[in-house]
Amino acid sequence: SNILFPVGTMIGERLLYVPSAGLLLTIVGLAVQSERSFKRGGPLLVALGIFFLALLAIRVPEWASPEAITVADGQKQLRSGRVQYNYANVHLAAKRYEEALAIYQRAIDIDPLDRDSLPLFHAGHILIYQS
């Protein structure tokens, strides 16, 4: 998800840039269309701009590496089985097996119909390894 359109799961954020830019152009266009409304709404637009810049300043460092974005999304998007699976993979690669197992279990609980067997597969490997 991006700043304006949180979707709660993994998505190519680049796909949401055009809708974000379109929304911004619409707001600016409406503000410029009426000088009177711009005088009233100008401070609000400035405040919204500062707010979104702050959100941007928080989000951009999360893209430092694939692991960083996976961890950041894994901590925020607790209802996405795919995000939780990827988050568990980061823990597994770092050999933090207990954390990985707990997160794989969360991914399994999110998808009780077992449509994605990879969390089960990796959780099973950890349990076999621990036995």
Side-chain angles (χ1 to χ4, degrees):
S1 61
N2 74 2
I3 292 172
L4 295 178
F5 302 98
V7 293
T9 192
M10 281 183 351
I11 187 170
E13 291 188 17
R14 68 191 180 284
L15 301 175
L16 299 177
Y17 291 158
V18 172
S20 297
L23 180 61
L24 178 63
L25 288 172
T26 301
I27 291 170
V28 170
L30 290 173
V32 170
Q33 185 177 10
S34 169
E35 184 178 326
R36 192 169 18 127
S37 68
F38 184 73
K39 286 180 182 177
R40 281 185 284 160
L44 177 62
L45 288 176
V46 170
L48 280 173
I50 292 170
F51 173 72
F52 286 122
L53 276 173
L55 289 178
L56 182 68
I58 293 168
R59 185 67 172 163
V60 167
E62 293 176 349
W63 283 91
S65 69
E67 292 79 20
I69 190 67
T70 301
V71 169
D73 285 350
Q75 292 171 345
K76 293 176 190 169
Q77 299 175 13
L78 301 176
R79 296 185 312 164
S80 170
R82 176 56 58 186
V83 170
Q84 293 305 305
Y85 168 72
N86 289 335
Y87 185 36
N89 287 342
V90 170
H91 287 283
L92 182 63
K95 298 183 180 182
R96 294 189 301 266
Y97 300 117
E98 292 299 321
E99 293 95 336
L101 186 58
I103 298 168
Y104 283 131
Q105 185 60 52
R106 188 179 320 147
I108 293 165
D109 292 343
I110 291 168
D111 187 12
L113 298 177
D114 191 28
R115 290 175 287 209
D116 187 359
S117 63
L118 287 173
L120 292 167
F121 176 76
H122 288 293
H125 272 101
I126 292 171
L127 292 172
I128 290 170
Y129 179 75
Q130 290 177 339
S131 296

